[in-house]
Amino acid sequence: MTSHRSPRSATADDLLTRLGRLTAQAREGAELQQARVELAEALQREILPASLPSVPGLRTAARYTPARHGLSVGGDWYDGFALPGGALGFSIGDVEGHDVEAAAFMGQVRIAVRAVAAAAADPGEVLSRANDLLLSVDCDLFATCTFLRFDPVTWEIQTARAGHVPGVWATVDGRSGVVEDEGGTPLGMLPGAEYPVTRRRLTTSGAYVLVTDGVVEGPSFPMEAGLARVAAAARAAAGTEPGQLAAEVMKVADSTGHEDDAAVLVLRHDAPGTGPGDTRDA
């Protein structure tokens, strides 16, 4: 007598087979995604500078941390380098998107900013030239960025923003605030974009802090609240070493529940000697 399997048992077997196949595919997908995340993290570690420049009276530090869940990684960077004439240039930014492609584009943006900074008159021109250069490579990604120029002779900070998070300042006498500047569009979006320059004379010992949005913004945490926490942390630790201040600022990211990677760049400055200039106090 021939045995026939019932339609019910056939359906059950088919379902188990399909579930097994999907499980295997999911496992392969998870391993592939993990490999891509690890590659993006390694690429970012290789691109980020091993050290930052400093001059007498100005010490610097930076921190970077990947996304909490390990999926949104690859777009944040910071940089610092000497400019002709003795000034120092610093940049921080965030590429739209994540993973290996964002990490690679981040490297292009960082190099583009370095390449044009040596010949540009001010941070606004740096960002404008970098924007045009990035548009010429015809990439679909874009990046926010702040470029800062520190002059050790006049003790002046010049900054320009391309769609990036505002900077924060604090002094050892208990003052702090968020930098109110106009800014411009992110890099790689619009040809011919212009970027206003904000100038600040440093007259009191303190700190100038730049962050990416992963530090100050979370799923249900507004950027304004995050910037206020960064200002409070900077005010409380304005007289400490820059590495300690950077670590304190990075703790803000833990409180926002961020799902993005995060970067902090700190300039810890002493009071200047003398120098010309008629700009706002910081």
Side-chain angles (χ1 to χ4, degrees):
M1 181 176 179
T2 303
S3 173
H4 295 282
R5 187 164 52 179
S6 68
R8 181 182 179 86
S9 61
T11 300
D13 287 344
D14 291 343
L15 178 59
L16 290 173
T17 300
R18 179 172 175 78
L19 285 174
R21 185 168 61 250
L22 290 175
T23 300
Q25 291 175 353
R27 183 181 300 111
E28 292 175 359
E31 291 172 354
L32 176 61
Q33 174 63 18
Q34 182 62 30
R36 288 173 65 84
V37 168
E38 291 176 358
L39 177 59
E41 289 179 333
L43 180 59
Q44 190 145 23
R45 284 194 302 270
E46 291 300 317
I47 293 175
L48 292 177
S51 61
L52 294 170
S54 61
V55 294
L58 179 76
R59 290 156 291 165
T60 57
R63 294 288 186 274
Y64 165 78
T65 182
R68 177 169 299 184
H69 302 296
L71 297 177
S72 299
V73 63
D76 287 17
W77 88 91
Y78 57 84
D79 198 8
F81 47 92
L83 293 169
L88 300 180
F90 298 92
S91 65
I92 190 169
D94 184 3
V95 172
E96 174 268 337
H98 304 100
D99 212 338
V100 179
E101 292 80 8
F105 186 65
M106 176 266 287
Q108 290 181 315
V109 177
R110 178 172 172 255
I111 292 171
V113 170
R114 276 200 176 216
V116 302
D122 59 43
E125 186 177 345
V126 171
L127 294 184
S128 180
R129 289 189 181 188
N131 178 64
D132 292 341
L133 182 59
L134 291 170
L135 284 170
S136 70
V137 303
D138 194 25
C139 180
D140 293 333
L141 297 177
F142 62 87
T144 68
C145 178
T146 291
F147 185 78
L148 181 152
R149 183 181 185 273
F150 172 77
D151 189 327
V153 176
T154 63
W155 222 248
E156 182 183 73
I157 282 179
Q158 299 177 2
T159 59
R161 288 193 302 132
H164 197 69
V165 181
V168 169
W169 61 270
T171 57
V172 294
D173 59 8
R175 295 179 294 141
S176 66
V178 177
V179 179
E180 297 180 2
D181 55 355
E182 184 177 349
T185 59
L187 302 178
M189 290 190 68
L190 297 175
E194 296 183 353
Y195 302 93
V197 178
T198 298
R199 294 173 170 84
R200 300 182 67 85
R201 163 64 75 81
L202 305 177
T203 60
T204 307
S205 296
Y208 200 96
V209 181
L210 299 174
V211 301
T212 57
D213 58 4
V215 177
V216 295
E217 194 172 34
S220 58
F221 200 92
M223 181 179 296
E224 293 75 12
L227 284 170
R229 290 193 180 185
V230 170
R235 184 171 62 250
T240 64
E241 289 300 310
Q244 181 178 343
L245 176 53
E248 290 300 317
V249 171
M250 187 60 83
K251 291 179 182 179
V252 176
D254 297 331
S255 67
T256 64
H258 69 103
E259 296 181 348
D260 201 355
D261 46 353
V264 173
L265 176 61
V266 168
L267 279 66
R268 172 69 177 86
H269 58 85
D270 297 332
T274 60
D278 183 18
T279 54
R280 290 183 297 172
D281 290 347

